[in-house]
Amino acid sequence: MMDKLWSCLAGRRHVSLRRLLAPGPDDAALERIFAAAAQAPDHGVLLPWRFILVSQERRPDLGRAFAEALAQRDPGADEAARAAAYEKAFHAPCLVAAVMVDDPAGATTVPVTEKLVSLGCAVQNMLLAAQAQGFASGLASGLAMESAAMRRLLYLLPHEQAICFIGFGTGGAAKAPRERPATGRFVTVL
């Protein structure tokens, strides 16, 4: 069992969303990916996150949100830059937005950092579940996540924050694994 877990952990690689190809996970595989998220630690049982599956039908709307976010950040962006921003919406055959929920009606004793860590654990569980099913995955974020256009498109409430997009699909040409740091570089003893 440990060998299988280690193999899955060591085999996971980030794949840029633009390099994720079809096919992506079917409904059953996607349900297992989302079920893996539910296994994340959740201090206070607040469910401080949610995920939004971006359907193929809504990709043009997402593209317009990316383009609008760019135009607000950089009014001088040319047509090519706006087109490139729009095209980001069509990367990865399966695209999911990860949203942190910091509901003030929930327990106030759980700091926002713990909620963000819980979301990170849920995302990592999803990445590993995809890997275990033979799918590649990657994350993408950026300034567009905080834009008014993105907030409108994702129907975010005032206490919610879009953190990143998670893409799932079939990996193209695999790049060499990056060298991972030795544990001595990040573990100390108190």
Side-chain angles (χ1 to χ4, degrees):
M1 173 95 165
M2 186 61 179
D3 288 342
K4 284 183 181 182
L5 173 62
W6 183 251
S7 177
C8 188
L9 286 168
R12 206 204 71 73
R13 303 277 180 273
H14 169 82
V15 177
S16 169
L17 272 58
R18 69 176 161 263
R19 295 193 190 336
L20 289 170
L21 310 171
D26 62 14
D27 289 344
L30 195 55
E31 179 59 29
R32 285 189 293 275
I33 289 169
F34 286 130
Q39 308 311 308
D42 180 3
H43 182 194
V45 193
L46 300 175
L47 193 60
W49 36 262
R50 65 186 181 99
F51 298 97
I52 302 166
L53 178 62
V54 182
S55 68
Q56 294 299 324
E57 294 79 25
R58 296 300 303 270
R59 297 290 184 104
D61 297 329
L62 178 59
R64 286 188 285 277
F66 278 132
E68 183 180 323
L70 174 64
Q72 286 181 340
R73 281 192 323 271
D74 182 6
D78 63 14
E79 185 60 36
R82 288 193 303 274
Y86 178 84
E87 286 303 316
K88 288 179 181 179
F90 299 92
H91 297 166
C94 180
L95 194 59
V96 176
V99 176
M100 185 186 68
V101 178
D102 187 21
D103 191 347
T108 57
T109 59
V110 179
V112 69
T113 52
E114 284 190 44
K115 296 171 185 176
L116 188 57
V117 167
S118 179
L119 171 61
C121 291
V123 168
Q124 180 69 1
N125 285 356
M126 293 169 71
L127 299 176
L128 292 173
Q131 173 76 17
Q133 296 179 85
F135 295 103
S137 60
L139 304 179
S141 61
L143 296 175
M145 300 304 292
E146 300 176 22
S147 72
M150 192 64 68
R151 292 189 67 79
R152 277 193 314 274
L153 177 70
L154 299 177
Y155 300 101
L156 298 181
L157 298 173
H159 60 274
E160 295 180 320
Q161 181 181 354
I163 301 298
C164 66
F165 283 101
I166 312 164
F168 301 105
T170 300
K175 58 183 178 179
R178 70 177 174 91
E179 185 177 331
R180 301 295 176 161
T183 58
R185 288 188 54 204
F186 59 87
V187 176
T188 56
V189 177
L190 183 61

